[in-house]
Amino acid sequence: MASMEKRLQKELLALTKDPPAGVKVDSQRICTNLSEWTVDLEGAPESIYEGEKFQLMFKFGSRYPFESPQVMFIGEHIPVHPHVYSNGHICLSILTYDWSPALSAQSVCLSVVSMLSSCKEKKRPPDNAFYVKTCSKNPKKTRWWYHVLLNKVERNSVNMYEEERPCDMK
Amino acid sequence: MATPTGAEGGTTPPGGADSADTDAGTFYECNICLDTARDPVVSMCGHLFCWPCLHQWLETRPQKQMCPVCKAGIGKDKVIPVYGRGSNNQQDPREKLPPRPAGQRSEPENQGGGFPGFGFGDGGFHMSFGIGAFPFGIFASTFNFNDGRPGPAPPGSPQNREEQFLSKVFLWVAILFIFYLLIA
Ligand SMILES: [Zn+2]
Ligand SMILES: [Zn+2]
């Protein structure tokens, strides 16, 4: 779809020109295939991930921006975080239920960065071992059951773009 | 690297795609395709979209119709088409599917009486109003002090006793209901 390509080009331009702190995107590399991006993230200074480097992969399907992009950490270094599984899958409501076409790759980057920066303790989600064994390759196919519940609670109390709670229900 | 796309030549603002990133250029951009809005509509919450873009979003999540920007309630009949000067010069509207909802003309004397802002999300609004009003209505009739209104039957009459009994029953129902809401 032509309008999707146009939007992705605009998003890429905006992210290259004005990236959030700690985000770097190599637009030359992406240009060959606009529907798959690799974004470099760096742990924010004074956060527990300071100095660590991560890679985030974006896959934009043909129904983007009406459907959320597929976003996950890739590479050797996956951040140890209560919302990030060791296979790179991220539990973040805007990547599934709370996606809106007014969001963008840039706002996803911002959410991931703030998710990392606000974390106080490095640990995996409590169900990591089970999830990694049983999940689909595409994190969008996961039905984040308890996460949905959690997101509903969050929607009533705090800004839902900044999740700070771990994934388990307590 | 941003290859110019000439597909929608008729609607690209003068200056081409590169100038669209200036502040003046982005202001009238659709919040979904990030391009200058075509067949523009504006929601009650004031957010601008191309009608085809918004329509596709409403079709994507029929049971959860929210403004993509601010998550206010939104719907096919709750957007206003925006007609700029010379908008007829654009592409033949018949080629564009789906048809954009028509503008509504309300009579001048109706203005000021309504609260169009309450138009969306009406289901939730009415429901909470009903629940809230139930107990308070009971309190009002139970503690009905003499305020001059033609209200309760004269004290001591059978009708009055019956009314008092009924209102006490309802008061307890209301208290139980509130209690239930608190612990639920
Ligand atoms: Zn649009
Ligand atoms: Zn809105």
Side-chain angles (χ1 to χ4, degrees):
Chain A
M1 209 174 150
S3 71
M4 172 198 155
E5 228 158 77
K6 205 168 178 183
R7 174 174 159 148
L8 281 177
Q9 257 160 8
K10 283 201 171 193
E11 282 197 43
L12 186 58
L13 193 69
L15 197 60
T16 318
K17 263 190 182 170
D18 182 26
V23 175
K24 218 166 56 193
V25 55
D26 184 358
S27 57
Q28 292 305 317
R29 198 174 41 179
I30 291 168
C31 229
T32 51
N33 180 9
L34 211 53
S35 65
E36 202 170 318
W37 301 11
T38 309
V39 174
D40 293 312
L41 287 191
E42 207 177 309
E46 281 163 51
S47 78
I48 57 174
Y49 302 99
E50 179 169 1
E52 292 182 52
K53 288 189 172 155
F54 312 108
Q55 279 198 317
L56 211 52
M57 186 202 66
F58 283 74
K59 271 188 190 168
F60 302 93
S62 60
R63 301 204 10 93
Y64 184 79
F66 300 100
E67 299 281 347
S68 60
Q70 185 192 322
V71 183
M72 57 190 280
F73 283 102
I74 54 166
E76 292 294 293
H77 201 171
I78 308 287
V80 179
H81 184 281
H83 277 187
V84 182
Y85 289 91
S86 56
N87 61 356
H89 289 195
I90 309 167
C91 153
L92 189 65
S93 65
I94 61 163
L95 294 180
T96 49
Y97 300 95
D98 287 323
W99 172 255
S100 137
L103 296 171
S104 62
Q106 186 154 2
S107 41
V108 171
C109 284
L110 265 174
S111 287
V112 172
V113 166
S114 78
M115 180 187 91
L116 292 181
S117 309
S118 63
C119 185
K120 303 274 185 290
E121 188 189 355
K122 282 188 188 179
K123 60 174 185 190
R124 291 270 180 233
D127 58 334
N128 184 63
F130 179 73
Y131 175 78
V132 170
K133 249 185 272 168
T134 55
C135 70
S136 152
K137 266 192 183 166
N138 180 352
K140 287 186 69 186
K141 297 223 168 86
T142 300
R143 311 201 67 166
W144 307 94
W145 281 117
Y146 36 95
H147 308 248
V148 180
L149 280 173
L150 192 66
N151 290 331
K152 273 188 185 151
V153 174
E154 278 175 3
R155 190 173 303 145
N156 292 335
S157 49
V158 292
N159 182 355
M160 52 195 243
Y161 292 119
E162 286 170 7
E163 293 174 75
E164 285 183 328
R165 281 188 240 187
C167 278
D168 50 336
M169 282 294 278
K170 273 180 186 161
Chain B
M1 31 134 274
T3 52
T5 45
E8 281 99 17
T11 54
T12 311
D18 288 339
S19 73
D21 288 308
T22 61
D23 284 346
T26 54
F27 194 77
Y28 292 107
E29 279 178 4
C30 162
N31 282 289
I32 294 179
C33 65
L34 313 184
D35 208 344
T36 306
R38 288 174 298 139
D39 288 344
V41 293
V42 68
S43 60
M44 293 292 192
C45 45
H47 292 117
L48 183 72
F49 305 96
C50 309
W51 170 243
C53 288
L54 183 64
H55 181 266
Q56 197 174 342
W57 170 240
L58 296 178
E59 298 276 291
T60 306
R61 295 204 187 167
Q63 63 299 86
K64 196 179 164 189
Q65 304 212 321
M66 295 192 301
C67 170
V69 182
C70 70
K71 300 190 182 285
I74 199 169
K76 205 172 269 192
D77 47 349
K78 281 155 193 155
V79 293
I80 300 159
V82 179
Y83 302 116
R85 215 172 91 85
S87 54
N88 293 336
N89 294 341
Q90 290 184 2
Q91 214 182 326
D92 185 352
R94 286 169 298 181
E95 284 176 28
K96 293 167 187 162
L97 285 172
R100 188 161 47 148
Q104 292 166 11
R105 295 202 70 249
S106 45
E107 294 305 312
E109 52 262 45
N110 289 346
Q111 287 178 355
F115 296 92
F118 286 117
F120 45 79
D122 41 14
F125 175 75
H126 285 305
M127 196 158 75
S128 57
F129 176 76
I131 290 168
F134 169 63
F136 292 113
I138 299 309
F139 285 128
S141 67
T142 307
F143 307 110
N144 200 341
F145 302 114
N146 294 326
D147 54 0
R149 278 181 296 173
S157 72
Q159 197 200 345
N160 177 260
R161 259 175 274 141
E162 203 180 343
E163 268 180 11
Q164 278 189 342
F165 173 72
L166 272 178
S167 64
K168 269 183 190 137
V169 168
F170 277 120
L171 178 63
W172 279 107
V173 170
I175 288 169
L176 285 174
F177 183 67
I178 292 169
F179 188 64
Y180 166 77
L181 283 182
L182 283 176
I183 60 168

